[in-house]
Short mmCIF file of all heavy atoms in Angstrom, two decimals:
data_model
loop_
_atom_site.label_atom_id
_atom_site.label_comp_id
_atom_site.label_asym_id
_atom_site.label_seq_id
_atom_site.Cartn_x
_atom_site.Cartn_y
_atom_site.Cartn_z
N LEU Y 154 0.87 -1.16 0.00
CA LEU Y 154 0.00 0.00 0.00
C LEU Y 154 0.91 1.22 0.00
O LEU Y 154 1.74 1.36 0.90
CB LEU Y 154 -0.90 0.01 1.23
CG LEU Y 154 -1.82 -1.19 1.43
CD1 LEU Y 154 -2.58 -1.06 2.75
CD2 LEU Y 154 -2.80 -1.32 0.29
N VAL Y 155 0.78 2.06 -1.00
CA VAL Y 155 1.67 3.20 -1.14
C VAL Y 155 0.85 4.48 -1.17
O VAL Y 155 0.07 4.71 -2.10
CB VAL Y 155 2.51 3.09 -2.42
CG1 VAL Y 155 3.44 4.30 -2.53
CG2 VAL Y 155 3.33 1.80 -2.41
N GLU Y 156 1.02 5.30 -0.13
CA GLU Y 156 0.30 6.56 -0.03
C GLU Y 156 1.07 7.66 -0.76
O GLU Y 156 2.30 7.63 -0.85
CB GLU Y 156 0.11 6.98 1.43
CG GLU Y 156 -0.64 6.01 2.30
CD GLU Y 156 0.26 5.11 3.09
OE1 GLU Y 156 1.42 4.90 2.65
OE2 GLU Y 156 -0.16 4.61 4.15
N SER Y 157 0.34 8.64 -1.22
CA SER Y 157 0.93 9.82 -1.85
C SER Y 157 -0.02 10.99 -1.67
O SER Y 157 -1.19 10.81 -1.31
CB SER Y 157 1.21 9.58 -3.34
OG SER Y 157 0.00 9.30 -4.02
N GLY Y 158 0.50 12.19 -1.92
CA GLY Y 158 -0.35 13.36 -1.89
C GLY Y 158 -0.22 14.23 -0.66
O GLY Y 158 -0.86 15.29 -0.57
N GLY Y 159 0.57 13.80 0.30
CA GLY Y 159 0.75 14.62 1.49
C GLY Y 159 1.59 15.85 1.19
O GLY Y 159 2.13 16.01 0.10
N GLY Y 160 1.66 16.74 2.18
CA GLY Y 160 2.45 17.94 1.99
C GLY Y 160 2.11 19.00 3.00
O GLY Y 160 1.44 18.73 4.01
N LEU Y 161 2.57 20.21 2.72
CA LEU Y 161 2.34 21.36 3.59
C LEU Y 161 1.27 22.24 2.96
O LEU Y 161 1.35 22.58 1.78
CB LEU Y 161 3.65 22.14 3.76
CG LEU Y 161 3.57 23.47 4.51
CD1 LEU Y 161 3.14 23.23 5.96
CD2 LEU Y 161 4.90 24.19 4.45
N VAL Y 162 0.28 22.59 3.76
CA VAL Y 162 -0.81 23.43 3.27
C VAL Y 162 -1.23 24.39 4.37
O VAL Y 162 -1.10 24.09 5.56
CB VAL Y 162 -1.99 22.53 2.80
CG1 VAL Y 162 -2.59 21.76 3.97
CG2 VAL Y 162 -3.05 23.34 2.08
N GLN Y 163 -1.74 25.54 3.96
CA GLN Y 163 -2.24 26.49 4.94
C GLN Y 163 -3.62 26.08 5.44
O GLN Y 163 -4.36 25.38 4.74
CB GLN Y 163 -2.31 27.89 4.33
CG GLN Y 163 -0.94 28.53 4.10
CD GLN Y 163 -1.05 29.97 3.67
OE1 GLN Y 163 -2.05 30.38 3.08
NE2 GLN Y 163 -0.03 30.76 3.97
N ALA Y 164 -3.93 26.52 6.63
CA ALA Y 164 -5.26 26.26 7.18
C ALA Y 164 -6.32 26.76 6.21
O ALA Y 164 -6.19 27.84 5.62
CB ALA Y 164 -5.42 26.95 8.53
N GLY Y 165 -7.35 25.94 6.04
CA GLY Y 165 -8.40 26.25 5.09
C GLY Y 165 -8.18 25.66 3.72
O GLY Y 165 -9.09 25.66 2.87
N GLY Y 166 -7.00 25.16 3.49
CA GLY Y 166 -6.67 24.59 2.19
C GLY Y 166 -7.12 23.15 2.05
O GLY Y 166 -7.78 22.59 2.94
N SER Y 167 -6.75 22.55 0.92
CA SER Y 167 -7.17 21.19 0.60
C SER Y 167 -5.98 20.34 0.16
O SER Y 167 -5.00 20.86 -0.38
CB SER Y 167 -8.20 21.20 -0.53
OG SER Y 167 -9.37 21.90 -0.16
N LEU Y 168 -6.11 19.06 0.41
CA LEU Y 168 -5.17 18.07 -0.10
C LEU Y 168 -5.96 16.83 -0.47
O LEU Y 168 -7.01 16.55 0.13
CB LEU Y 168 -4.11 17.69 0.94
CG LEU Y 168 -2.95 18.65 1.20
CD1 LEU Y 168 -2.11 18.14 2.36
CD2 LEU Y 168 -2.09 18.81 -0.04
N ARG Y 169 -5.42 16.09 -1.42
CA ARG Y 169 -6.03 14.81 -1.78
C ARG Y 169 -4.97 13.72 -1.63
O ARG Y 169 -3.95 13.73 -2.31
CB ARG Y 169 -6.55 14.83 -3.22
CG ARG Y 169 -7.30 13.55 -3.62
CD ARG Y 169 -7.86 13.68 -5.03
NE ARG Y 169 -8.60 12.50 -5.44
CZ ARG Y 169 -9.88 12.31 -5.20
NH1 ARG Y 169 -10.58 13.23 -4.55
NH2 ARG Y 169 -10.49 11.21 -5.61
N LEU Y 170 -5.23 12.81 -0.71
CA LEU Y 170 -4.33 11.68 -0.51
C LEU Y 170 -4.79 10.51 -1.36
O LEU Y 170 -5.99 10.28 -1.51
CB LEU Y 170 -4.30 11.26 0.96
CG LEU Y 170 -3.93 12.33 1.98
CD1 LEU Y 170 -3.87 11.71 3.38
CD2 LEU Y 170 -2.63 13.01 1.63
N SER Y 171 -3.83 9.78 -1.89
CA SER Y 171 -4.13 8.59 -2.66
C SER Y 171 -3.36 7.41 -2.09
O SER Y 171 -2.28 7.59 -1.50
CB SER Y 171 -3.75 8.78 -4.13
OG SER Y 171 -4.54 9.79 -4.73
N CYS Y 172 -3.91 6.24 -2.26
CA CYS Y 172 -3.26 5.01 -1.83
C CYS Y 172 -3.39 3.99 -2.95
O CYS Y 172 -4.51 3.63 -3.33
CB CYS Y 172 -3.90 4.49 -0.55
SG CYS Y 172 -3.30 2.88 0.00
N ALA Y 173 -2.26 3.55 -3.46
CA ALA Y 173 -2.24 2.54 -4.51
C ALA Y 173 -1.94 1.18 -3.90
O ALA Y 173 -0.96 1.02 -3.17
CB ALA Y 173 -1.18 2.89 -5.55
N ALA Y 174 -2.80 0.22 -4.20
CA ALA Y 174 -2.66 -1.12 -3.62
C ALA Y 174 -2.21 -2.11 -4.68
O ALA Y 174 -2.61 -2.03 -5.84
CB ALA Y 174 -4.00 -1.57 -3.03
N SER Y 175 -1.39 -3.04 -4.26
CA SER Y 175 -0.95 -4.13 -5.14
C SER Y 175 -0.73 -5.38 -4.31
O SER Y 175 -0.55 -5.31 -3.09
CB SER Y 175 0.34 -3.74 -5.88
OG SER Y 175 1.39 -3.50 -4.98
N GLY Y 176 -0.76 -6.53 -4.99
CA GLY Y 176 -0.52 -7.79 -4.31
C GLY Y 176 -1.72 -8.34 -3.57
O GLY Y 176 -1.58 -9.29 -2.79
N LEU Y 177 -2.89 -7.76 -3.77
CA LEU Y 177 -4.11 -8.26 -3.14
C LEU Y 177 -5.28 -8.09 -4.10
O LEU Y 177 -5.18 -7.36 -5.08
CB LEU Y 177 -4.38 -7.52 -1.82
CG LEU Y 177 -4.40 -5.97 -1.80
CD1 LEU Y 177 -5.64 -5.39 -2.45
CD2 LEU Y 177 -4.28 -5.48 -0.38
N THR Y 178 -6.36 -8.80 -3.79
CA THR Y 178 -7.60 -8.64 -4.55
C THR Y 178 -8.32 -7.44 -3.97
O THR Y 178 -9.00 -7.55 -2.94
CB THR Y 178 -8.46 -9.90 -4.48
OG1 THR Y 178 -7.70 -11.03 -4.92
CG2 THR Y 178 -9.70 -9.75 -5.35
N PHE Y 179 -8.14 -6.31 -4.61
CA PHE Y 179 -8.58 -5.05 -4.01
C PHE Y 179 -10.07 -5.03 -3.72
O PHE Y 179 -10.50 -4.50 -2.69
CB PHE Y 179 -8.20 -3.90 -4.95
CG PHE Y 179 -8.36 -2.54 -4.35
CD1 PHE Y 179 -7.54 -2.12 -3.31
CD2 PHE Y 179 -9.32 -1.67 -4.83
CE1 PHE Y 179 -7.68 -0.87 -2.75
CE2 PHE Y 179 -9.48 -0.41 -4.30
CZ PHE Y 179 -8.65 0.00 -3.24
N SER Y 180 -10.86 -5.61 -4.58
CA SER Y 180 -12.32 -5.53 -4.43
C SER Y 180 -12.86 -6.39 -3.29
O SER Y 180 -14.07 -6.37 -3.03
CB SER Y 180 -13.00 -5.92 -5.74
OG SER Y 180 -12.67 -7.26 -6.08
#
C-alpha cells in the first residue's frame, strides 16, 4: 500500500491523498 499526496498546506486549504494497492484482490 503506497500513499501519496501529502504535503504542507495552509489552514483552510485542501489536499487529496491517494493510496495505490498491489498484491491483493482489491475488491
